[in-house]
Amino acid sequence: MKLADNKATLSFTNGSPSVELPVYQGNIGPDVIDIRKLYGQTGMFTYDPGFLSTASCQSAITYIDGDKGELLYRGYPIDQLAKNCDYLETCYLLLYGELPNATEKADFVERVTQHTMVNEQMQFFLRGFRRDAHPMAVLTGLVGGMSAFYHDSTDINNPEHREIAAIRLIAKMPTLVSMAYKYGVGQPYMYPKNDLSYSGNFLRMMFGNPCEDYVVNPVLERALDRIFILHADHEQNASTSTVRLCGSSGTNPFAAISAGVACLWGPAHGGANEACLNMLEQIQANGGIAKVGEFMEQVKDKNSGVKLMGFGHRVYKNYDPRATLMQETCNEVLAELGLENDPLFALAKAVEKIALEDDYFVQRKLYPNVDFYSGIVQRAMGIPVNIFTGVFALARTVGWIAQLNEQMGDPEYKIGRPRQLFTGSVSRDVKPLAQR
């Protein structure tokens, strides 16, 4: 952080003395007012529900400019990374700050590949879940349970432990997600195959079976890799903040990432693409394309309670930069699989067309976001809707770890302890039961 030349002055109308607060500048983006000494100087806290105007940390990993529709990983625009790099190169970038050269990439890929298997006892752990359990419930348990298997990498304050935990989590998440899926459908688990790419291996573990060889479709392989890249990190969102807050207590890396998985499960966060597909299926059940116009009119009616999922974004006030890339991938996948005329996908295109042309949605900048297209792509691939968030968690794991590593290496980090504006009862006496 760089101290700005100017300071902020907080004044009061009740006669209390004014307070000067330091201002710090980032390399890009808004400056921040340092309020760390505010309570000590004034006896007051700030009030910011949802942390909409609060910077909880300093970070050098990911930058978002919502007005411009810009997303940078370590300074690199997301569109350039998605077009010129694969997911494991992006992982290396997020973890270490620079893109790898050929030797560094080969070494990193080798390290990840050698850790793709999970302890065989994990399958017995799985059997404790009902077959119809939501895969995210299963995944939350499996990731947290890894701390019971890998005792040599559970000290979050040890950089070497965090390093090996990072490699293990990146390597094993595809295996765990596919195991959660296979368990739910009653199929045998597929062991990783180390001569395949990261994305190709995941496709095989998801859709292969021991009875026949699985041939990876390169178009689907690249599409999935792009999904992983686009979801690898996204600044200080709900799940990332959860991982940081959890890690600030000194808990082990697996527990912190498990907390991120649990937070991601929510439909307002990682479950958004699942909610989007559910919305499309509901429109389809109620009449399909013929009813799209009626549905969109209901969306405009604030009293209807009908929401348009997969459009607009809390951060991006312009077009989601990931959505353009995902739209291209969506069209490639549908063409490859001959699904351009599939009723649900045709319905999605009809919804998209109205949203991009109708003044109501255009004026409010409710453009399709990455969740809209990634949900369509995953469904086309055959990934069940209830696995969508698991795929998101798989992709986001590296971002969580990078953020966690950054926090633990920050000399200014402290255990998270948000404050509150208390609005409950003041102190009162407890009366005996007979007098209440």
Side-chain angles (χ1 to χ4, degrees):
M1 291 193 301
K2 177 185 176 183
L3 190 63
D5 295 332
N6 60 304
K7 294 183 179 181
T9 301
L10 179 64
S11 59
F12 304 90
T13 58
N14 62 358
S16 297
S18 298
V19 177
E20 281 196 343
L21 300 169
V23 175
Y24 287 95
Q25 298 174 327
N27 291 344
I28 48 178
D31 295 347
V32 299
I33 300 171
D34 186 349
I35 61 168
R36 283 176 289 184
K37 296 181 179 180
L38 181 66
Y39 178 63
Q41 292 177 315
T42 68
M44 290 187 287
F45 304 138
T46 57
Y47 182 63
D48 185 19
F51 309 108
L52 301 183
S53 299
T54 299
S56 61
C57 63
Q58 52 177 307
S59 180
I61 300 171
T62 302
Y63 174 74
I64 297 170
D65 188 320
D67 294 328
K68 292 181 180 179
E70 183 179 60
L71 172 61
L72 307 176
Y73 290 172
R74 300 286 191 180
Y76 293 106
I78 190 64
D79 59 320
Q80 294 182 26
L81 290 170
K83 291 175 181 177
N84 299 311
C85 300
D86 62 28
Y87 178 65
L88 287 183
E89 286 178 86
T90 305
C91 287
Y92 187 98
L93 171 68
L94 291 172
L95 288 174
Y96 304 115
E98 298 292 344
L99 285 168
N101 59 32
T103 301
E104 291 167 336
K105 180 184 177 182
D107 177 66
F108 184 71
V109 170
E110 175 70 12
R111 290 166 64 201
V112 170
T113 302
Q114 293 305 314
H115 283 282
T116 53
M117 289 188 68
V118 299
N119 192 294
E120 195 71 4
Q121 285 183 272
M122 274 287 188
Q123 64 174 292
F124 302 113
F125 187 17
L126 261 172
R127 293 177 188 176
F129 293 96
R130 289 171 54 111
R131 289 279 181 183
D132 60 354
H134 195 289
M136 286 299 285
V138 176
L139 192 60
T140 302
L142 291 179
V143 174
M146 286 176 69
S147 58
F149 291 92
Y150 304 107
H151 302 291
D152 60 339
S153 56
T154 55
D155 183 358
I156 202 169
N157 295 302
N158 186 322
E160 293 181 3
H161 282 212
R162 295 199 306 272
E163 171 83 6
I164 187 60
I167 297 298
R168 281 174 170 157
L169 280 159
I170 293 167
K172 298 179 193 303
M173 281 297 283
T175 310
L176 295 178
V177 173
S178 64
M179 286 176 70
Y181 167 65
K182 290 291 193 181
Y183 180 74
V185 297
Q187 293 181 8
Y189 313 123
M190 294 292 289
Y191 288 115
K193 201 166 185 294
N194 288 350
D195 60 348
L196 295 176
S197 71
Y198 189 87
S199 300
N201 195 25
F202 178 63
L203 285 170
R204 179 183 172 275
M205 288 191 292
M206 282 286 291
F207 302 118
N209 65 72
C211 303
E212 55 193 33
D213 292 333
Y214 180 84
V215 179
V216 178
N217 183 316
V219 174
L220 304 190
E221 181 181 27
R222 178 56 186 157
L224 189 61
D225 204 70
R226 179 168 283 188
I227 288 175
F228 292 163
I229 292 171
L230 297 180
H231 289 84
D233 197 49
H234 208 239
E235 214 196 72
Q236 305 308 314
N237 52 76
S239 59
T240 298
S241 299
T242 297
V243 170
R244 279 181 172 263
L245 189 61
C246 189
S248 75
S249 73
T251 190
N252 70 78
F254 302 108
I257 301 304
S258 179
V261 174
C263 181
L264 192 71
W265 191 357
H269 190 12
N273 51 14
E274 181 176 346
C276 177
L277 258 292
N278 289 336
M279 175 195 74
L280 292 174
E281 289 175 350
Q282 184 177 359
I283 299 172
Q284 184 71 13
N286 291 335
I289 289 181
K291 295 292 184 180
V292 168
E294 182 180 316
F295 173 81
M296 298 298 268
E297 289 300 319
Q298 289 179 318
V299 171
K300 297 179 188 180
D301 182 1
K302 294 181 179 179
N303 298 319
S304 69
V306 176
K307 293 185 178 181
L308 182 61
M309 305 303 295
F311 289 77
H313 197 280
R314 179 176 174 178
V315 173
Y316 297 110
K317 306 309 177 188
N318 205 317
Y319 206 79
D320 183 342
R322 302 167 300 170
T324 304
L325 298 160
M326 206 66 253
Q327 183 186 42
E328 295 174 6
T329 300
C330 181
N331 292 331
E332 290 171 4
V333 169
L334 295 183
E336 172 68 16
L337 299 177
L339 292 172
E340 301 99 323
N341 297 320
D342 179 274
L344 196 69
F345 299 136
L347 173 63
K349 290 292 184 182
V351 172
E352 175 192 38
K353 186 175 187 297
I354 293 175
L356 291 175
E357 296 177 356
D358 189 299
D359 285 342
Y360 177 90
F361 300 103
V362 173
Q363 289 174 7
R364 290 164 176 77
K365 297 184 178 180
L366 295 176
Y367 303 115
N369 60 36
V370 70
D371 298 310
F372 180 75
Y373 295 114
S374 67
I376 295 172
V377 171
Q378 289 182 72
R379 184 182 183 276
M381 289 181 179
I383 297 173
V385 173
N386 66 355
I387 297 289
F388 286 2
T389 317
V391 173
F392 193 163
L394 185 169
R396 183 56 57 85
T397 293
V398 66
W400 290 331
I401 297 168
Q403 297 275 349
L404 188 63
N405 281 345
E406 182 179 64
Q407 172 183 269
M408 302 312 294
D410 185 348
E412 291 188 336
Y413 112 85
K414 296 178 176 62
I415 184 171
R417 181 62 174 84
R419 299 293 194 168
Q420 66 176 17
L421 175 64
F422 182 70
T423 58
S425 298
V426 297
S427 179
R428 49 184 174 169
D429 296 325
V430 177
K431 295 180 181 179
L433 182 61
Q435 297 178 22
R436 294 180 210 161

